[in-house]
């Protein structure tokens, strides 16, 4: 037994030395990784203890742990309430619209940019398409409300000049969702195309050269070479998009909507904000947030399972 321990000790020391040298060689990268892990630990995992508020009748004086347990009462109140089902329905409808119109948009833009051969023009188009991503919805909401204003907006000015009647776009239930989806696509299409352009940059150019020799035109090259190269990253992005169907962009909706369009604009995040901050129903707001996250988790796991069942791509 002693002989075995003496024989293993040098191997253990050698493995430790290799690990130490490897750590020292990549110490800067590991330091950055540690900061990322620390961020997620402090701001994502530690606050999760507050989830128990969803199962408590929260009283500010008693605190989180001192408040009495309420069981499933908060969830029952959510389901039986009038505003939550409406917010849930609006969230799903708006998210599906964004998925249908917003998901293919970056792919189409990436394909178009990939076909450009004038580098200067390509860079200009890329810069202009990326720019909206860096503008907050607070700024953009003010800009769009001025553009679509029924009294001084240029859009209504054109409509009235052509003999039509001015439209209060952001106060009209028939127009609000259209504006919400279209402005979101406009803001995110450029930034979303980056990941697809990165995938296209890794395609072997010899494939295109061979296709040209075989007589394939630009359309056939895109169909048989470019699009198949995008399948892996498109699959992963689609899984994430499906998981986001139950979520919504709080900043956009909160800055655009008003009481006149609550019926079609109130979503889960604005409902949670209103209940938690304005009405101080913290248990109810936590139950709403937990319900949303659980549904999102089920959606993303189900989407990944289905994709993995019929293809070799997936998140895990």
């Amino acid at each position: 037994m002693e002989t075995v321990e003496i024989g293993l000790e040098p191997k253990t020391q050698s493995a430790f030395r290799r690990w130490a040298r490897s750590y020292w060689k990549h110490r800067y990268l590991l330091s950055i990784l540690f900061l990322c892990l620390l961020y997620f630990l402090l701001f994502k995992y530690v606050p999760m203890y507050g989830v128990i508020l969803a199962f408590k009748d929260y009283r500010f004086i008693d605190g989180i742990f001192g408040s009495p347990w309420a069981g499933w009462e908060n969830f029952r109140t959510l389901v039986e309430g009038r505003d939550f089902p409406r917010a849930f329905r609006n969230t799903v409808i708006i998210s599906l619209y964004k998925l249908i119109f917003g998901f293919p948009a970056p792919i189409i833009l990436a394909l178009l940019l990939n076909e450009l051969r004038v580098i200067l023009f390509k860079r200009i188009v890329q810069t202009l398409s990326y720019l909206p991503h860096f503008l907050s919805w607070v700024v953009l909401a003010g800009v769009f409300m001025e553009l679509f204003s029924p009294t001084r907006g240029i859009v209504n000015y054109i409509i009235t000049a052509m003999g039509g009647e001015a439209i209060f776009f952001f106060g009209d239930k028939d127009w609000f969702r259209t504006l919400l989806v279209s402005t979101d696509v406009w803001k995110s299409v450029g930034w979303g195309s980056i990941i697809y352009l990165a995938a296209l940059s890794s395609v072997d150019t010899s494939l295109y050269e061979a296709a040209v020799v075989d007589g394939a035109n630009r359309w056939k090259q895109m169909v048989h070479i470019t699009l198949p190269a995008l399948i892996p990253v498109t699959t992963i992005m689609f899984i994430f998009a499906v998981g986001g169907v139950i979520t919504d962009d709080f900043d956009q909706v909160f800055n655009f909507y008003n009481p006149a369009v609550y019926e079609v604009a109130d979503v889960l995040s604005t409902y949670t904000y209103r209940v938690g901050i304005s009405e101080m129903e913290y248990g109810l707001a936590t139950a709403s947030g937990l319900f949303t996250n659980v549904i999102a988790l089920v959606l993303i796991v189900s989407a990944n399972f289905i994709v993995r069942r019929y293809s070799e791509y997936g998140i895990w």
Side-chain angles (χ1 to χ4, degrees):
M1 191 67 179
E2 293 179 358
T3 304
V4 174
E5 291 180 352
I6 293 173
L8 288 176
E9 186 175 0
K11 294 182 180 180
T12 304
Q13 291 179 354
S14 177
F16 178 78
R17 290 195 192 97
R18 287 197 301 270
W19 177 84
R21 284 196 298 267
S22 177
Y23 176 83
W24 184 254
K25 180 181 178 181
H26 302 95
R27 59 190 181 278
Y28 299 114
L29 293 176
L30 291 172
S31 299
I32 297 174
L33 177 62
F34 173 76
L35 292 176
C36 294
L37 294 176
L38 185 63
Y39 165 79
F40 279 98
L41 178 65
L42 293 179
F43 298 102
K44 301 296 182 181
Y45 288 97
V46 172
M48 286 180 66
Y49 80 94
V51 169
I52 63 176
L53 276 176
F55 305 95
K56 287 202 169 191
D57 181 14
Y58 179 71
R59 298 172 183 173
F60 184 79
I61 298 177
D62 298 329
I64 295 178
F65 296 103
S67 299
W69 291 96
W72 298 95
E73 186 61 32
N74 289 321
F75 294 94
R76 189 178 297 109
T77 303
L78 279 179
V79 176
E80 294 176 354
R82 181 181 66 87
D83 293 339
F84 182 81
R86 180 187 67 186
F88 181 81
R89 181 182 66 253
N90 291 335
T91 300
V92 173
I93 292 175
I94 293 173
S95 296
L96 286 177
Y97 283 157
K98 289 183 177 181
L99 179 64
I100 294 171
F101 297 102
F103 182 76
I107 302 175
I108 296 173
L109 178 61
L111 292 173
L112 294 175
L113 290 173
N114 187 63
E115 294 299 319
L116 291 177
R117 293 297 177 260
V118 182
I119 302 301
L120 179 60
F121 181 69
K122 181 178 180 179
R123 294 288 181 263
I124 293 174
V125 173
Q126 284 181 293
T127 302
L128 293 177
S129 63
Y130 297 164
L131 183 61
H133 173 79
F134 299 98
L135 301 176
S136 70
W137 279 116
V138 177
V139 175
L140 292 178
V143 172
F144 283 116
M145 285 183 179
E146 286 297 318
L147 289 175
F148 291 94
S149 172
T151 56
R152 56 185 181 273
I154 187 173
V155 176
N156 274 301
Y157 176 79
I158 296 174
I159 292 175
T160 53
M162 297 177 64
E165 296 183 359
I167 304 172
F168 183 20
F169 287 96
F170 286 101
D172 192 330
K173 296 178 182 179
D174 296 330
W175 280 100
F176 186 83
R177 286 175 179 168
T178 302
L179 291 175
L180 204 68
V181 174
S182 58
T183 53
D184 179 77
V185 173
W186 171 79
K187 185 177 187 295
S188 60
V189 63
W191 187 256
S193 66
I194 292 178
I195 189 170
Y196 300 104
L197 287 172
L200 292 177
S201 65
S202 63
V203 179
D204 190 355
T205 55
S206 63
L207 295 175
Y208 293 102
E209 296 172 358
V212 172
V213 173
D214 291 338
N217 56 25
R218 297 287 290 274
W219 173 258
K220 291 183 178 179
Q221 291 176 38
M222 184 180 67
V223 172
H224 297 288
I225 300 176
T226 308
L227 287 177
L230 289 178
I231 290 178
V233 66
T234 302
T235 302
I236 294 175
M237 297 303 294
F238 180 75
I239 294 172
F240 283 127
V242 171
V245 166
I246 197 64
T247 60
D248 50 74
D249 195 335
F250 170 79
D251 292 338
Q252 182 193 20
V253 179
F254 184 76
N255 284 285
F256 275 67
Y257 83 154
N258 56 77
V261 292
Y262 271 0
E263 190 64 31
V264 297
D266 193 26
V267 291
L268 288 175
S269 61
T270 54
Y271 169 80
T272 303
Y273 169 83
R274 190 169 61 253
V275 171
I277 303 299
S278 302
E279 301 176 11
M280 300 182 68
E281 294 286 347
Y282 300 115
L284 202 60
T286 306
S288 175
L290 181 59
F291 175 83
T292 303
N293 291 330
V294 170
I295 297 297
L297 177 62
V298 171
L299 286 175
I300 197 170
V301 171
S302 302
N304 185 78
F305 174 78
I306 295 172
V307 170
R308 290 289 294 178
R309 186 176 181 86
Y310 295 101
S311 70
E312 57 182 1
Y313 306 112
I315 301 176
W316 63 84

